[in-house]
Amino acid sequence: QVQLVESGGGLVQPGGSLRLSCVASTDITRLGVMGWYRQAPGKERELVASCSTDSLTNYADSVKGRFTISRDNAKNTVFLQMNSLKPEDTAVYYCNAPVLVLRGYWGQGTQVTVSS
């Protein structure tokens, strides 16, 4: 059973930064594309950033230019650097891989709250 453990969330003021980390219990090159998702209260979960095994990245329009996804395959870790945070970025953030999403697996996530 693969496990993904997210960390790095917290309370930050608008305009601030946070760096999220996700450590996998397996070789993430076997998982392929890795992504960061988020779910705000009352909203559906959405994909905000993805990164292929060779570090090709894609971003949702809402975070483009502010968030940066990266991965360290040797450490089975995926990162999300979030800058210029806005109140609308408040959500629980999850990392996952499409192959695990299809199996219905989700980690516990990490809460990000942007508020003054």
Side-chain angles (χ1 to χ4, degrees):
Q1 177 75 14
V2 175
Q3 288 190 320
L4 301 171
V5 180
E6 302 94 342
S7 63
L11 173 64
V12 63
Q13 292 187 341
S17 298
L18 284 174
R19 189 188 195 211
L20 306 184
S21 299
C22 169
V23 180
S25 62
T26 189
D27 181 354
I28 59 173
T29 61
R30 298 178 60 186
L31 296 177
V33 172
M34 296 294 298
W36 281 96
Y37 301 73
R38 69 184 181 188
Q39 187 167 23
K43 295 188 177 181
E44 292 190 356
R45 200 169 303 183
E46 62 172 341
L47 176 65
V48 295
S50 63
C51 184
S52 68
T53 52
D54 53 357
S55 296
L56 293 176
T57 58
N58 278 291
Y59 299 93
D61 288 344
S62 59
V63 306
K64 203 170 291 184
R66 299 187 298 121
F67 290 11
T68 302
I69 187 172
S70 60
R71 60 194 289 165
D72 184 337
N73 292 331
K75 296 182 178 179
N76 296 324
T77 303
V78 185
F79 304 98
L80 186 68
Q81 177 67 43
M82 305 187 296
N83 299 328
S84 303
L85 283 161
K86 304 175 181 180
E88 51 264 43
D89 295 319
T90 295
V92 179
Y93 284 72
Y94 304 85
C95 77
N96 215 333
V99 293
L100 297 178
V101 174
L102 287 174
R103 298 176 198 171
Y105 172 83
W106 291 94
Q108 86 287 351
T110 185
Q111 175 71 48
V112 171
T113 303
V114 185
S115 175
S116 55

